[in-house]
């Protein structure tokens, strides 16, 4: 595949570069595409079933669905119970994933942990488990490829930025882009939790990895007026970013940095329709 392009845009008078990993595919894009690189290269007959679990807004869930559709693999996805409204929605990642053939299994809150922990036991032949958020050991191969594309394209920056869920993307970029500062922000839990996640993958967090701290405590997938405004602002500047991770990263970049930065666009815009629907119900701050 040829490298994804790098575009430029202006936000609050500052020029930013954007690595357009969102252009790869509508469903299988961004860092999830990078993390699934090894599986994408795997011959069809290696597996017949993929199993994963996590939230039903997940971008990884949708990316794995697209991968399985392409490979003609069965895809089973476990989540905690969701509301009837969420189940019946005809927009958003869950709807799209089911359309691609994903089988969704809801597990009670009490039984959830045990179910997930026992997925690996009695695993059928030719079945493979992808842990939450697309966390496969081989994720680094695809992320290393992303880093080498950046080195090759060498945009005129000394820093890159990518918001963190598991922190895998930020970590492997920092390890492979030693000459760059890598800015990230914790979107799931706080920085302490993010550091713990990273330390489960490596012995030491690289010095060039900088975890910025949001001014306010945000809860993942919750609605915030400032997030919506940031989303609007980037839309007006000509680029759509996701509503879960990107707004907090942009807030921190605008408030806490002043250098030229390459932002890694990790896709996720397919989830925006359902988020925007939730925002619309909070119409008091939507003008
Ligand atoms: C999954 C995701 C992230 C977080 O990636 P991690 O490697 O888990 O830190 C960030 N942005 C978007 C749009 C994502 O889909």
């Amino acid at each position: 595949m040829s490298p994804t392009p790098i575009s430029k845009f202006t936000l609050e008078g500052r020029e930013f570069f954007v690595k357009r990993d969102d252009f790869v595919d509508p469903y299988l894009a961004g860092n999830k595409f990078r993390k699934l690189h090894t599986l994408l290269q795997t011959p069809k007959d290696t597996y017949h079933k993929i199993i994963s679990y996590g939230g039903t807004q997940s971008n990884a869930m949708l990316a794995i669905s697209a991968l399985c559709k392409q490979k003609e693999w069965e895809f089973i996805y476990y989540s905690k119970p969701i509301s009837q409204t969420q189940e019946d929605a005809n927009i958003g990642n869950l709807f799209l994933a089911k359309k691609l053939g994903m089988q969704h299994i809801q597990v009670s809150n009490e039984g959830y942990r045990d179910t997930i922990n026992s997925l690996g036991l009695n695993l059928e032949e030719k079945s493979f488990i992808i842990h939450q958020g697309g966390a496969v050991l081989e994720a680094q191969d695809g992320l290393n490829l992303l880093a080498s594309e950046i080195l090759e394209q060498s945009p005129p920056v000394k820093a890159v930025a990518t918001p963190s869920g598991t922190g895998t993307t930020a970590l492997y970029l920092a390890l492979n882009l030693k000459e760059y500062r890598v800015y990230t922000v914790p979107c799931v839990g706080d920085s302490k939790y993010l550091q713990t996640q990273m330390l489960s993958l490596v012995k030491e967090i690289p010095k060039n990895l900088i975890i910025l701290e949001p001014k306010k405590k945000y809860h993942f997938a919750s609605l915030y007026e400032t997030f919506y405004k940031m989303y609007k602002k980037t839309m007006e500047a000509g680029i759509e970013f996701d509503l879960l991770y990107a707004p907090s990263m942009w807030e921190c970049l605008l408030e806490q940095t002043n250098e030229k930065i390459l932002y890694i666009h990790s896709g996720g815009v397919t989830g925006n329709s359902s988020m925007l629907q939730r925002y619309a119900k909070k119409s008091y701050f939507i003008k």
Side-chain angles (χ1 to χ4, degrees), residues 31-32 35 59-60 133 143 162-170 194 242 245-246 266-268:
N31 60 2
K32 305 308 181 297
K35 289 180 182 185
N59 296 326
L143 292 169
T162 184
S164 282
T166 62
T168 317
T169 307
L194 179 58
D242 76 277
Y245 299 92
S266 273

Side-chain angles (χ1 to χ4, degrees), residues 29-222:
N31 60 2
K32 305 308 181 297
F33 164 75
R34 302 290 184 180
K35 289 180 182 185
L36 295 172
H37 172 80
T38 307
L39 277 172
L40 270 162
Q41 310 287 73
T42 303
K44 273 188 187 175
D45 59 6
T46 312
Y47 300 114
H48 68 78
K49 189 192 277 180
I50 301 290
I51 299 164
S52 190
Y53 58 92
T56 53
Q57 305 240 16
S58 162
N59 296 326
M61 172 191 77
L62 183 58
I64 299 165
S65 303
L67 165 79
C68 290
K69 168 104 186 159
Q70 192 177 317
K71 297 285 186 185
E72 297 168 26
W73 294 336
E74 220 182 309
F75 178 32
I76 319 281
Y77 191 79
Y78 293 88
S79 80
K80 289 183 181 170
I82 58 171
S83 71
Q84 196 61 42
T85 321
Q86 283 172 294
E87 203 170 335
D88 297 342
N90 54 7
I91 53 166
N93 285 356
L94 178 63
F95 169 71
L96 293 169
K98 286 194 287 195
K99 230 169 68 171
L100 289 166
M102 181 184 88
Q103 294 172 57
H104 178 209
I105 300 175
Q106 299 180 45
V107 184
S108 71
N109 286 314
E110 308 75 55
Y112 187 73
R113 256 309 118 203
D114 281 347
T115 305
I116 300 311
N117 290 339
S118 61
L119 288 177
L121 314 168
N122 307 318
L123 195 62
E124 291 167 52
E125 225 189 298
K126 295 203 170 190
S127 296
F128 185 76
I129 300 176
I130 300 178
H131 291 287
Q132 185 153 9
V136 279
L137 205 62
E138 298 82 359
Q140 36 182 309
D141 295 347
L143 292 169
N144 294 356
L145 214 64
L146 168 60
S148 43
E149 279 183 27
I150 294 170
L151 290 172
E152 185 104 344
Q153 291 169 312
S154 70
V157 300
K158 277 285 144 228
V160 305
T162 184
S164 282
T166 62
T168 317
T169 307
L171 178 67
Y172 286 112
L173 282 182
L175 288 170
N176 285 284
L177 295 172
K178 294 240 183 314
E179 310 290 303
Y180 291 73
R181 272 178 292 284
V182 175
Y183 289 112
T184 193
V185 66
C187 296
V188 180
D190 57 11
S191 5
K192 202 150 184 66
Y193 172 76
L194 179 58
Q195 283 169 339
T196 313
Q197 291 276 94
M198 289 177 174
L199 289 171
S200 70
L201 297 167
V202 287
K203 280 212 190 76
E204 203 180 335
I205 295 174
K207 300 253 174 313
N208 59 327
L209 178 60
I210 300 158
I211 302 177
L212 299 174
E213 197 72 59
K215 272 210 208 116
K216 204 181 132 185
K217 171 119 194 62
Y218 294 120
H219 295 279
F220 190 63
S222 292

Side-chain angles (χ1 to χ4, degrees), residues 2-18:
S2 50
T4 56
I6 289 178
S7 60
K8 269 197 284 194
F9 84 121
T10 305
L11 193 60
E12 292 192 356
R14 275 172 70 181
E15 188 175 66
F16 287 96
F17 294 81
V18 183

Side-chain angles (χ1 to χ4, degrees), residues 7-12 14-19 161-163 184-185 187 212 226-227 229-231 233-235 237 239-242 245-257 259 261-265:
S7 60
K8 269 197 284 194
F9 84 121
T10 305
L11 193 60
E12 292 192 356
R14 275 172 70 181
E15 188 175 66
F16 287 96
F17 294 81
V18 183
K19 176 75 170 154
T162 184
T184 193
V185 66
C187 296
L212 299 174
T226 52
F227 279 19
K229 285 190 169 151
M230 187 58 73
Y231 170 80
K233 212 184 273 186
T234 53
M235 281 295 271
I239 299 199
E240 181 170 20
F241 292 98
D242 76 277
Y245 299 92
S248 176
M249 185 82 249
W250 280 114
E251 264 182 28
C252 286
L253 290 177
L254 290 171
E255 288 169 6
Q256 301 176 37
T257 70
E259 64 189 304
I261 288 169
L262 172 70
Y263 187 98
I264 313 296
H265 196 320

